[in-house]
């Protein structure tokens, strides 16, 4: 157990639907990062939050949004789902906001299947 | 944008062999990460380095900043080392750019 908790582990839904993925960071970590891993694109950075504030944005679609709550857990909302959104979604956490200075701790991932 | 290339893409080794996985990147970085992803999907961070060499058990990671190259070595490989090894770099920003990974299979 890495200390980063992601739920749900697996999710199957239909095109056009909306889902929410949840991440609780390791105790003491203030930064949360979201990544998408698909078969054709590999791992891609989506978005980062640090202590409740958005810190950096990567290749995140407009249909996707995220937030970090006062208790530091984070949610990634995916809406108007398409078949191509099927992927593994990973959350990672680190102590501070600069990824260059920190080892990341990853969650086990949420596998999303869009039918 | 940083381009991260890993080689080889696939690697099969006999148990006990010394293994090297290479990673090259195109622009200067602040840190390089080696990650391990097991067949179940979970990702573990193995090393973060910005210079020199780090060792943890049978794993050694080196980086040459001038040549923009890093290597991950596994000594006395074991079937439990079978996984995908991913190189990722950050260049002063908050996001990582990932290589496509090297799939390692260690045969008993």
């Amino acid at each position: 157990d890495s200390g980063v908790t992601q739920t749900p582990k697996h999710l199957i839904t239909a095109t056009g639907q909306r889902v929410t993925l949840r991440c609780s960071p390791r105790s003491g970590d203030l930064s949360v990062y979201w990544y998408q891993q698909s078969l054709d694109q590999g791992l891609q950075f989506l978005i980062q939050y640090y202590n409740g504030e958005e810190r950096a944005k990567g290749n995140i679609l407009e249909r996707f949004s995220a937030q970090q709550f006062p208790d530091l857990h984070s949610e990634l909302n995916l809406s108007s789902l398409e078949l191509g959104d099927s992927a593994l979604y990973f959350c990672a956490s680190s102590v501070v906001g600069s990824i260059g200075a920190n080892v990341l701790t990853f969650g086990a991932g949420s596998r999303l299947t869009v039918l | 944008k940083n381009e991260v290339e890993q080689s080889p893409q696939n690697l099969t080794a006999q148990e006990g062999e010394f293994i090297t996985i290479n990673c090259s990147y195109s622009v200067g970085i602040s840190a390089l990460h080696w990650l391990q992803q097991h067949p179940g999907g979970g990702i573990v961070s193995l090393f973060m380095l910005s210079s020199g060499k780090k060792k943890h058990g049978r794993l050694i990671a080196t980086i040459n900043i001038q040549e923009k190259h890093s290597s991950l070595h596994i000594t006395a490989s074991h079937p439990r080392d079978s996984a995908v090894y991913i190189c990722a770099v950050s260049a002063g920003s908050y996001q990582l750019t990932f290589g496509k990974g090297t799939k390692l299979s260690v045969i008993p």
Side-chain angles (χ1 to χ4, degrees):
Chain A
D1 181 6
S2 68
V4 178
T5 304
Q6 286 190 249
T7 57
K9 285 191 169 32
H10 301 276
L11 191 53
I12 301 173
T13 189
T15 55
Q17 295 298 305
R18 173 190 167 96
V19 299
T20 297
L21 309 180
R22 182 188 167 106
C23 170
S24 293
R26 200 177 57 151
S27 178
D29 286 357
L30 299 178
S31 262
V32 169
Y33 308 80
W34 285 98
Y35 299 95
Q36 179 194 56
Q37 186 179 39
S38 58
L39 281 175
D40 55 343
Q41 296 284 340
L43 270 164
Q44 291 192 90
F45 167 71
L46 295 178
I47 197 164
Q48 180 209 358
Y49 280 83
Y50 175 70
N51 204 21
E53 300 290 328
E54 182 184 304
R55 180 63 68 97
K57 236 177 191 178
N59 300 320
I60 188 165
L61 299 172
E62 283 192 14
R63 300 183 286 109
F64 297 0
S65 65
Q67 60 185 122
Q68 187 179 28
F69 294 87
D71 67 352
L72 299 177
H73 92 270
S74 179
E75 293 181 356
L76 179 66
N77 301 296
L78 314 175
S79 61
S80 302
L81 285 168
E82 302 175 359
L83 295 177
D85 298 328
S86 296
L88 260 174
Y89 291 85
F90 285 100
C91 165
S93 71
S94 68
V95 173
V96 296
S98 170
I99 202 163
N102 276 275
V103 174
L104 295 176
T105 303
F106 284 82
S110 292
R111 185 175 295 278
L112 173 65
T113 302
V114 182
L115 301 176
Chain B
K1 185 186 171 191
N2 222 333
E3 302 290 332
V4 181
E5 298 286 337
Q6 284 187 240
S7 63
Q9 276 188 298
N10 293 282
L11 181 56
T12 300
Q14 292 289 329
E15 183 173 354
E17 282 186 8
F18 181 84
I19 288 161
T20 296
I21 299 170
N22 296 298
C23 175
S24 297
Y25 49 92
S26 57
V27 300
I29 63 170
S30 54
L32 183 143
H33 301 248
W34 281 104
L35 310 172
Q36 180 191 55
Q37 186 170 26
H38 276 283
I43 296 175
V44 174
S45 181
L46 298 175
F47 295 104
M48 185 196 70
L49 61 165
S50 53
S51 65
K53 176 179 173 177
K54 287 190 176 179
K55 183 176 190 289
H56 181 70
R58 294 179 295 105
L59 301 178
I60 303 165
T62 64
I63 188 168
N64 184 319
I65 297 295
Q66 287 72 31
E67 295 191 2
K68 298 186 178 59
H69 180 269
S70 175
S71 293
L72 177 67
H73 306 286
I74 305 175
T75 62
S77 59
H78 189 276
R80 65 174 174 265
D81 297 325
S82 298
V84 175
Y85 293 83
I86 302 168
C87 170
V89 300
S90 61
S93 68
Y94 299 97
Q95 63 184 73
L96 288 176
T97 303
F98 297 87
K100 293 194 183 304
T102 295
K103 184 175 181 182
L104 171 65
S105 300
V106 181
I107 300 169

